Amino acid sequence: MASEKRLEVVTCTAPVNIAVIKYWGKRDEELILPINSSLSVTLHQDQLKTTTTAAISRDFTEDRIWLNGREEDVGQPRLQACLREIRRLARKRRSDGHEDPLPLSLSYKVHVASVNNFPTAAGLASSAAGYACLAYALARVYGVESDLSEVARRGSGSACRSLYGGFVEWRMGERADGKDSIARQVAPESHWPELRVLILVVSTEKKLTGSTAGMQTSVETSALLRFRAEALVPARMAEMTRCVRERDFQAFGQLTMKDSNQFHATCMDTFPPISYLNDTSRRIIHLVHCFNAHHGQTKVAYTFDAGANAVIFTLDDTVAEFVAAVRHSFPPELNGDKFLKGLPVEPVPLSDELKAALGTDPTPGGIKYIIVTQVGPGPQVLDDPGAHLLGPNGLPKAAA
Amino acid sequence: MASEKRLEVVTCTAPVNIAVIKYWGKRDEELILPINSSLSVTLHQDQLKTTTTAAISRDFTEDRIWLNGREEDVGQPRLQACLREIRRLARKRRSDGHEDPLPLSLSYKVHVASVNNFPTAAGLASSAAGYACLAYALARVYGVESDLSEVARRGSGSACRSLYGGFVEWRMGERADGKDSIARQVAPESHWPELRVLILVVSTEKKLTGSTAGMQTSVETSALLRFRAEALVPARMAEMTRCVRERDFQAFGQLTMKDSNQFHATCMDTFPPISYLNDTSRRIIHLVHCFNAHHGQTKVAYTFDAGANAVIFTLDDTVAEFVAAVRHSFPPELNGDKFLKGLPVEPVPLSDELKAALGTDPTPGGIKYIIVTQVGPGPQVLDDPGAHLLGPNGLPKAAA
């Protein structure tokens, strides 16, 4: 078929990941090499994912990209770094003697379209899922089979962790060229089936400091960040890996909370200081500690990235009670239906003892909604041609 | 006169101090020895002071204390530690061969009454002024002339810094018995006459974590606090001393802000984390950085203690413009008269450029009021018998 020869098209999906040992600070801004290793949990794509279609054709006269339906500048440096890197890998593969399965030239231009199934307002690190998905789709369309850590990383550091499902570490590496700064799976998504993840979307003003500028200022000004990266994170990586391998939720939860707090501490030690947490974030922290104190054990853990939203880890048998506690402390302003998204949660009553333990005055509307999800797999290729975001002409399909 | 023989009475006042290199964490809970040295500015007593009357008499059958008109338990450990220490010093003085000027026994019981001229709601460290004033008054009434650092410190660590006017360092010391953990004046109150201090009283909920419990948890759990105390504070003390001696406001202001931020960073790194700053505090921080960026230099600096209120340092020529900026960003809910307390401030218009630089949406009512003050002297003895808070019968005078 003529169309097959003229247009090679691939559509993939990729997940969001949430770091439990935080990445903050680059030792090389150009190559995006971190000052410490990090470890994350990959979230399930049933709730949160990026979908990306990449198409190459000799008929395309330039690289183009559409994000959430709007064409964006393809010339931005990080996108260019990804494209350069994937083409370098493809050339390398050919020169290594692999047979090229397709009669397509590496000089062909690429069209890319990408959409998220979650609102940007959710404050989730959409760039990680986005660049992982881009790397994965480009690799497929250009026939690259090597490690994609560097391609994704050049787009957004934490994107390399979205290349795998389950529990993923990004080893900082030691080499100046970054070849050993790669992501690796610590445990697959099937490893800890009871683990649940709740995203508490907080009503918030616009974020004042982006994470790229933020972490650069932190590296330049925070002595506490340097100390953390060099003296504290290595032992935390080892301990977190143990917690995951042994499914030790108590220790996993405590270290997750401590590492989130330490990351935000280094933001505060930055000059000028960076504050991502707001009063609602702090009330959520207080709620979690009250909940755990009431139970006499760590049943729930929070972590916060560069924003006010909380990500909560807990086990399946605790989700319903914790959601009831959240509803009690943050009475929803929306009607109940829209407050919970994702995996179903049975409503349960809150005991008077727990109500008393939570103590603080309720904050109506402080939390907009909750997304309930779990650990999930890495990027996927969609075989259904109907899933392509680009039509046979290589342009975005009209929105349905 | 019979009454003179029966009752020895002294009334003193003592100031509040604000640390610019923060004290947070004890290496000895009993002796109240800090894990690092600190440095503070003594505020003027025209605006903020504690007044304390101490009276001894052989007719008193027990030690008693009244705070702000209400009798309190004299048996609380810190009060007892102060009383024990002052009596030990008095005994030491006698055994050293000093003539005892008064025919009063050390076994006489003491009555103490103390009032603050500022509301507890101002969130200022009233315990520092309170214990400094207690130490000073007890020393006078028992005829003690030695260094009072230890007496005040046993009440509240930072109280030893309120024993002097101007700029005061509390040297952490090295000895296990704490004899070298003492306060010393770095420069007198006359040293930097242009310096002004503004206390921005923030509308806030009740503080969740007291500073005594907070700093103990920090010492136990924050690796960043230990690193700060050991590796960073010594150089900061030296630099802050230089800034004060040379009246280098740029460097003084920047280091003051950095040290406040680092203190709050170590609170965040504590487990469970401690948050004293709220959204209004963070808006004030942002306002200060915008104000300085607009001027291209550090004209204003913030510091925050264990609460949401900001203490602002600036020079006299900047007060009016900064107050106008605060009024712009935090439109007062009270009528204008009550918004400014203390030293007079001329109203000035805000330039459109500065308004644009401040940018953020105004937060009406976020700041309740501002106290405008300056650097001031140390504790004073009041000679006027009318100032005594205790009557000839040794009991609090009826409130006027």
Side-chain angles (χ1 to χ4, degrees), chain B residues 174-197:
Chain B
E174 295 175 357
R175 290 175 52 161
D177 66 3
K179 295 300 177 203
D180 57 351
S181 187
I182 51 175
R184 282 290 174 262
Q185 190 177 67
V186 171
E189 57 269 27
S190 59
H191 171 70
W192 200 347
E194 302 84 9
L195 197 64
R196 292 292 176 276
V197 185

Side-chain angles (χ1 to χ4, degrees), chain A residues 205 262 265 269 275 279 282, chain B residues 262 265 269 275 279 282-283:
Chain A
E205 310 155 62
Q262 190 165 85
D269 187 49
S275 296
D279 286 350
R282 263 176 298 283
Chain B
Q262 190 166 85
D269 187 50
S275 297
D279 286 351
R282 264 176 297 282
R283 284 192 194 100

